[in-house]
Amino acid sequence: MPPLHWETQLLTPRESRMRQTPHLAVSSAVAAAVLAFCALTALGAAPATEAAGRPTAAPRPVTAAGPEPEPEPAPVTLPFTRSARSTVIAPGVTQTSLVLGRTDAGADDVWTVHVNQPLTDDGPYSRATGALGPEARAGRLAAALRAKGFEPRVEEVRTPAYADRPAGTLGWTVRVGRYADRSAAATALAKVRAAGFAGDNRYTAQDGTDAEALQRVFVVQVDFKQFTGRLASDFGPSVDVFEQLPDLVSATGALAGINAQWFADSGAPLGLYVKDGRLLSSATQGRGGIRIARGGREVDVDTYSTRITVSVGKATREVDGINRTPGEIWNCGGVGGDLPTQHPQQDFKCTDESELVRFTREWTTPPAGPGAEVVLDRDDRVTAVNRTRGAKPPAGGSTLQAVGESARWLIAHARPGIRLGFTQRVLDGGGNTVPLTADTTIVQVGPTLVRDGRVAVNAVGDGIIREGVDQTHPYNWVVRGNPRSMIGVDDQGRLLLVVVDGRQVGWSSGLSITGAAELMKSLGAREALNLDGGGSSVMVTTGSGIVNRPSDATGPRTLGNVLLLHRTATGR
């Protein structure tokens, strides 16, 4: 059937703006998204009146029903939303683009100079890197700026209550000036730097505190009552080779796609990654993830961990990771001996000088370096023992690399011809073993956003609030508005793939993590998970190409792995 388009423009003036704690509510702009989206679901799913009384929540995991006849499109009613456009790209699959909120060119949405703070009380201001700090330190910085003739303001940054952390103060920022355009703010920044301070320019609409900031939201909704295809994860020619999403959509003939998991520069997926039942990356222990089975008809958001061991005779050793550089644990959350912590820490590299890491056939060229390794055939029988690392896995086989004391253990126990015994278990949040059937995909990203229909962000468990004094990353990544990608499922088993653009003045501000959770809940999600975001956030459909506007000036990034919506129920 040809694509169908509906578009509605409503330019209703907003009521007076109110400043709030960062996205404790998404207010009328996202409430409008609920009304808009629920109306638009009538294009290929449910009546527009459904939002007024959603069905009783079904037990997790959410499972979709079988096919039903596709209903006729219904009229679209979009109060408060500035604009909405919907395209039916296949029976049961609808792509909707929403414009929410607006730019306030008055006192609220302005450019400012954000002055960095040293990470210690006696640190130099000229090389300071902290975006915020303790109140006393921020006060001293403000006093130093006043002594140089500037008029700084000290602002408290608060975080909302998370599922595992109460609301509270994250720190204090120091800023100078309010400017209508970036060029004026850049001139002011140059003066601040010339006076011996460090900092940058920021646009206040991206602070994550304005629930009605301009946002552009892109949604693919999949109703498996009509759609007979499947959702699957995929990557390029190997798990460590990046590709752009449009190329993967084109190469596979997919209907649509969205970016999925974080990835290291080495190509390593960051966190648990299971594709078609094969364990391709070990877990960041206890972080959130999403399990997808039956082509997307069964979806479950949970926390996950892995337990992997290798045995040689009577000797057994824990395997620290799969398909990543030994000794480097990005996002932390490893097993045994990791420094400075074994708890998850978003976008932070922990280290461990003694590790065993397995490389599967899906990895092209494992990292070379000192240590030891064994080469294994498809039956896990040792074909070679090497005292350096870097051998490529043979066809159907794998390698086991080791560094530090683990390398000495491996050399002492492994011999050519010996068969190694591996055990691999994936555990959910209840400690139950997750069966890795051929139709199982698990992507661990996070944080969790919605559980059982309620906003449930595990700030500590998912490591998005850092241990230690420096909270620059949580402020920039968690509290402030950023491009976001999300996946969720509603009570009726309808899949939601969502991208929100961000960090683009006049186009879209982006959401805080809590704002992303509120948006997914408002769109009807019963379970939802945050995916990789920032410049990686991208959505592609076969008819329109790139639907959103990725934030990197160079365009869409190359990605580690993605989620693709296929027309057919079987395939790669």
Side-chain angles (χ1 to χ4, degrees):
M1 67 185 284
L4 302 176
H5 301 276
W6 286 263
E7 184 167 12
T8 298
Q9 298 275 345
L10 291 177
L11 301 177
T12 305
R14 283 191 308 171
E15 297 179 355
S16 60
R17 180 188 303 250
M18 296 181 63
R19 289 284 172 176
Q20 306 173 13
T21 300
H23 288 294
L24 288 175
V26 188
S27 88
S28 64
V30 171
V34 184
L35 296 173
F37 189 78
C38 288
L40 288 166
T41 56
L43 296 177
T49 56
E50 179 189 287
R54 288 172 53 201
T56 303
R60 293 191 297 113
V62 180
T63 304
E68 290 182 0
E70 183 178 10
E72 291 296 319
V76 177
T77 304
L78 303 170
F80 303 111
T81 302
R82 290 183 60 198
S83 69
R85 179 178 175 84
S86 183
T87 303
V88 177
I89 58 178
V93 181
T94 305
Q95 192 278 310
T96 302
S97 301
L98 298 167
V99 182
L100 312 176
R102 59 181 293 181
T103 297
D104 185 345
D108 288 335
D109 297 347
V110 295
W111 285 94
T112 191
V113 176
H114 192 103
V115 186
N116 289 347
Q117 302 178 40
L119 301 182
T120 59
D121 289 341
D122 58 352
Y125 291 139
S126 61
R127 297 193 300 274
T129 59
L132 74 174
E135 185 176 17
R137 190 177 301 161
R140 286 192 292 271
L141 173 59
L145 285 160
R146 289 190 193 97
K148 294 293 183 73
F150 299 102
E151 297 181 4
R153 60 190 186 275
V154 177
E155 298 175 343
E156 182 181 16
V157 176
R158 292 186 57 82
T159 55
Y162 298 114
D164 57 357
R165 186 178 188 270
T169 300
L170 188 67
W172 280 261
T173 62
V174 179
R175 289 176 166 180
V176 173
R178 293 180 173 88
Y179 307 94
D181 58 78
R182 188 168 191 170
S183 61
T187 299
L189 174 61
K191 293 178 180 178
V192 169
R193 287 175 172 171
F197 302 94
D200 57 12
N201 287 135
R202 303 210 175 187
Y203 190 59
T204 59
Q206 298 170 13
D207 282 344
T209 56
D210 184 0
E212 295 188 14
L214 178 63
Q215 308 289 357
R216 294 181 189 266
V217 181
F218 306 89
V219 184
V220 168
Q221 185 198 59
V222 184
D223 186 351
F224 289 104
K225 294 176 182 178
Q226 288 94 45
F227 184 61
T228 58
R230 74 191 191 283
L231 179 73
S233 177
D234 213 337
F235 47 82
S238 61
V239 74
D240 58 318
V241 175
F242 302 154
E243 285 206 20
Q244 289 188 338
L245 180 59
D247 295 334
L248 286 167
V249 168
S250 176
T252 60
L255 280 171
I258 190 173
N259 64 291
Q261 197 171 24
W262 298 306
F263 48 91
D265 291 342
S266 64
L270 299 183
L272 175 63
Y273 182 41
V274 175
K275 173 177 163 54
D276 301 333
R278 282 186 56 78
L279 182 58
L280 301 183
S281 179
S282 52
T284 301
Q285 307 289 6
R287 287 204 79 168
I290 190 162
R291 179 181 65 85
I292 302 166
R294 298 175 55 221
R297 290 161 179 80
E298 185 175 313
V299 174
D300 188 22
V301 172
D302 206 338
T303 58
Y304 293 96
S305 58
T306 48
R307 298 288 183 268
I308 308 167
T309 64
V310 59
S311 298
V312 186
K314 295 182 178 181
T316 299
R317 189 108 173 171
E318 191 166 43
V319 176
D320 296 89
I322 295 178
N323 291 331
R324 66 165 174 82
T325 302
E328 298 182 0
I329 308 96
W330 277 102
N331 291 340
C332 303
V335 290
D338 300 350
L339 297 173
T341 180
Q342 286 184 212
H343 299 139
Q345 293 286 275
Q346 170 62 28
D347 206 24
F348 186 86
K349 184 175 76 172
C350 286
T351 60
D352 187 346
E353 63 182 13
S354 174
E355 282 201 317
L356 287 171
V357 174
R358 190 178 191 185
F359 288 87
T360 69
R361 63 177 183 260
E362 287 84 2
W363 189 283
T364 304
T365 306
E373 70 182 3
V374 295
V375 180
L376 306 170
D377 65 14
R378 65 178 63 249
D379 297 318
D380 294 333
R381 197 172 300 278
V382 178
T383 62
V385 179
N386 303 324
R387 293 181 179 269
T388 58
R389 299 179 293 113
K392 184 176 180 178
S398 63
T399 66
L400 182 64
Q401 291 195 358
V403 295
E405 193 275 329
S406 293
R408 293 187 287 275
W409 181 90
L410 188 62
I411 290 293
H413 290 85
R415 297 286 184 274
I418 292 177
R419 185 174 181 178
L420 304 189
F422 287 93
T423 64
Q424 297 184 155
R425 295 178 64 206
V426 173
L427 306 176
D428 63 19
N432 305 302
T433 298
V434 179
L436 300 186
T437 58
D439 71 339
T440 297
T441 289
I442 304 175
V443 177
Q444 188 182 46
V445 200
T448 57
L449 299 176
V450 180
R451 301 289 304 276
D452 295 320
R454 297 185 296 273
V455 169
V457 177
N458 289 333
V460 177
D462 268 308
I464 63 174
I465 299 296
R466 288 273 181 89
E467 297 177 2
V469 176
D470 185 13
Q471 296 298 320
T472 295
H473 182 270
Y475 172 61
N476 287 334
W477 189 80
V478 179
V479 175
R480 301 197 80 235
N482 286 282
R484 306 286 180 188
S485 297
M486 297 150 279
I487 182 172
V489 63
D490 70 9
D491 284 331
Q492 299 185 35
R494 292 177 299 196
L495 188 70
L496 302 172
L497 304 176
V498 181
V499 166
V500 179
D501 280 346
R503 300 198 297 242
Q504 300 178 69
V505 176
W507 176 256
S508 188
S509 297
L511 292 174
S512 68
I513 283 293
T514 304
E518 293 282 3
L519 173 65
M520 292 303 288
K521 178 185 176 183
S522 296
L523 292 176
R526 185 171 183 271
E527 304 285 320
L529 180 77
N530 184 65
L531 301 173
D532 188 15
S536 296
S537 286
V538 61
M539 177 181 287
V540 171
T541 65
T542 187
S544 302
I546 299 175
V547 175
N548 69 311
R549 185 183 291 181
S551 63
D552 284 0
T554 54
R557 291 179 182 176
T558 54
L559 305 172
N561 56 49
V562 302
L563 293 171
L564 299 178
L565 197 63
H566 296 281
R567 292 180 174 86
T568 60
T570 59
R572 174 183 169 182

